[in-house]
Amino acid sequence: MPPSPLPSAGAARRRRGTSQDVVTAVHALGGTCGWSELRRAVPWRHIGPAVAAGLIARSSNRVYSLPATDEARVIAARMTGVVSHRSAALHWGWKVKQTPDLPDVTVPRGRKVRSSVTGLSTTHQRDLAARDITDGWVTSRERTVVDCCLDLPFDEALAVFDSALRGGMRHGSLVAAAGSLGPRHRAKVLAVARVASGRADNPFESVLRAIALAVPDTTWEPQHRIRDNDFFAKVDLACEELQIVLEADSFEFHGRRAALDRDCERYDELVCRNWLVLRFSWEQVMFRPEWVGGVITRAVQLRRSAARGGAAAPGQMTHLPPATGVA
């Protein structure tokens, strides 16, 4: 008897599960990513079926994104508005902390949104100049960054600003775009601009840096290089003064033994050189920021206590205030 052309229920469930892994990976990679990034996160054989099923979209230059980035333009047209904020960032190929559940659309201030389109978008009201709109339907690159700094939480704005710099935008042009704003709004943009860096690899690292920057009197350098005789390491974040390293452990669905061996050797060498290494997962950074911030705060306190001569004797525990937000 020839095999049935229809897959079994179990096979269908497995196919949906693997395709959903691809969707989850694109979300975690900032809502848009290249082939090499996605390939490191999921097996290549799962990517094609996810595209064929319409779960993710692929452009001509092999950039993968979520279908919602295309739907934003349709909804903006229905609202006689423009695609903006995170949706515009995704259009420009930039990564975001979280892909919005609803597209971001900006309409003129004071306009009443029709009931037929209510609930289809996250609606922002702002009067935009002609130079702020590209091709009649999406905010310009500069305006997109400015709007994200004005209206999104600091960590989300930093993720977009970092990605824009990584994508080739000039820091000076983005700062200049805030020049026409009032003092309060300009200060919000500059607060993000002061710490933005194109060296951050992805939103995961940007959000971790935003959490770390909340610890008073600390400076964190992204993609910091550590050299010591025959040893070299590039770490995600480092506070040189306190010799603390923060690592955003890569989002992957599969790992290799060789990679684990390299990581172990690297971290052991850093510890032997008196670096305190803290490793955080994507889920911890994105969903438990209070706990992550508490751990970093305690590590900073520990280093500063040691610098003042208050280090614990061998075999003794140093008691510091507990972190908050521990699940």
Side-chain angles (χ1 to χ4, degrees):
M1 178 184 295
S4 169
L6 297 177
S8 67
R13 283 194 296 271
R14 287 193 295 273
R15 184 174 295 108
R16 285 196 297 270
T18 54
S19 294
Q20 192 59 46
D21 285 346
V22 179
V23 175
T24 302
V26 175
H27 270 289
L29 290 168
T32 182
C33 60
W35 162 260
S36 59
E37 287 181 287
L38 189 55
R39 172 64 186 85
R40 287 195 297 268
V42 293
W44 65 267
R45 64 183 180 276
H46 297 160
I47 298 173
V51 174
L55 297 175
I56 62 172
R58 179 179 59 197
S59 68
S60 58
N61 58 347
R62 300 184 85 189
V63 172
Y64 295 83
S65 61
L66 300 170
T69 57
D70 295 325
E71 296 168 3
R73 182 175 182 177
V74 175
I75 293 174
R78 289 184 60 185
M79 299 178 64
T80 322
V82 295
V83 176
S84 62
H85 296 76
R86 294 162 297 181
S87 298
L90 290 169
H91 166 74
W92 295 121
W94 303 335
K95 296 178 180 293
V96 297
K97 176 190 176 184
Q98 288 181 307
T99 304
D101 295 329
L102 298 174
D104 286 304
V105 175
T106 293
V107 299
R109 196 182 305 276
R111 173 183 294 174
K112 185 177 181 180
V113 178
R114 300 192 313 273
S115 59
S116 60
V117 294
T118 300
L120 294 180
S121 72
T122 298
T123 306
H124 310 268
Q125 293 198 337
R126 180 163 290 136
D127 294 325
L128 300 175
R131 65 177 181 275
D132 294 328
I133 303 172
T134 299
D135 296 332
W137 66 272
V138 63
T139 51
S140 68
R141 290 173 172 86
E142 291 82 2
R143 185 72 225 189
T144 298
V145 173
V146 167
D147 284 344
C148 288
C149 291
L150 292 178
D151 299 328
L152 299 183
F154 179 81
D155 59 345
E156 293 195 52
L158 183 61
V160 171
F161 209 126
D162 284 353
S163 189
L165 295 175
R166 200 163 54 243
M169 294 296 294
R170 297 180 59 183
H171 192 278
S173 69
L174 296 176
V175 172
S180 61
L181 300 176
R184 183 169 61 87
H185 286 169
R186 186 166 60 247
K188 290 190 70 173
V189 177
L190 295 181
V192 182
R194 275 193 292 270
V195 296
S197 171
R199 287 183 293 168
D201 271 351
N202 47 54
F204 184 7
E205 292 184 17
S206 298
V207 175
L208 178 57
R209 189 163 92 260
I211 295 171
L213 287 168
V215 179
D217 302 320
T218 59
T219 301
W220 303 92
E221 182 180 355
Q223 296 300 310
H224 181 69
R225 291 172 170 82
I226 298 173
R227 293 182 175 87
D228 180 25
N229 296 326
D230 60 345
F231 175 74
F232 169 80
K234 185 167 72 170
V235 299
D236 294 334
L237 283 171
C239 179
E240 182 78 40
E241 176 193 1
L242 299 174
Q243 285 195 276
I244 300 176
V245 165
L246 307 181
E247 285 286 275
D249 276 354
S250 298
F251 180 89
E252 291 183 343
F253 287 94
H254 59 96
R256 297 179 179 176
R257 189 75 187 181
L260 175 62
D261 289 343
R262 286 195 300 271
D263 281 348
C264 289
E265 179 179 341
R266 179 167 171 265
Y267 295 137
D268 291 345
E269 291 285 355
L270 286 168
V271 171
C272 288
R273 286 164 173 78
N274 201 36
W275 285 88
L276 176 58
V277 182
L278 303 178
R279 303 174 64 180
F280 299 103
S281 71
W282 184 87
E283 288 80 6
Q284 289 169 338
V285 170
M286 297 299 178
F287 304 122
R288 300 174 61 196
E290 295 84 3
W291 176 80
V292 172
V295 170
I296 297 172
T297 297
R298 288 186 291 160
V300 168
Q301 292 173 341
L302 185 65
R303 283 305 211 194
R304 287 177 174 162
S305 177
R308 292 193 297 266
Q316 291 183 329
M317 293 292 292
T318 299
H319 296 286
L320 294 170
T324 60
V326 178

